Amino acid sequence: MNIIKESFNIKETAEFAKEIAKGAKAGQIYLLSGDLGTGKTVFAKGFAEGLEVDEIVNSPTFTILQTYESGRLPLYHFDVYRIGDEEEMYELGYEEYFFGKGVCLIEWAELIEGLIPEDAIQILIEKDLEKGFDYRTISVKGDVDYEASCS
């Protein structure tokens, strides 16, 4: 499934992420891409809300991984921007998370593309300043249960 969503503000981005997460299933991996400042953390917070996570969600830029166990499924939020090479992911024990009972949300996944399963769901957030400072296009490619989550 391919979905393209236009967002005109932070609230719309978070709401869309929340709806995507409502259809998430254990074992799914979501790849979150976009330039700095496009709203990846906003998306991650909305996604966590859709999983019913009741903890404060922050970007794991300096810790690489934040785990949230309070939702309907565990959320494993990776930010691999500071990863030097894929070997560091082995040191984190990434397989436990990628192939575990929760859902992975990975920012900057293109830096570890050799470790990403083919069935991972791709999410790209892009700005278009000509349409407004807060305007974003969010593209989702992969096996998402979006229509069911919106009912």
Side-chain angles (χ1 to χ4, degrees), residues 62-81:
F62 296 102
T63 59
I64 313 276
L65 170 65
Q66 292 280 8
T67 61
Y68 303 97
E69 302 284 340
S70 64
R72 70 174 178 83
L73 293 168
L75 173 60
Y76 310 125
H77 183 193
F78 288 85
D79 183 334
V80 298
Y81 185 74

Side-chain angles (χ1 to χ4, degrees), residues 46 53-54:
V53 170
D54 62 8

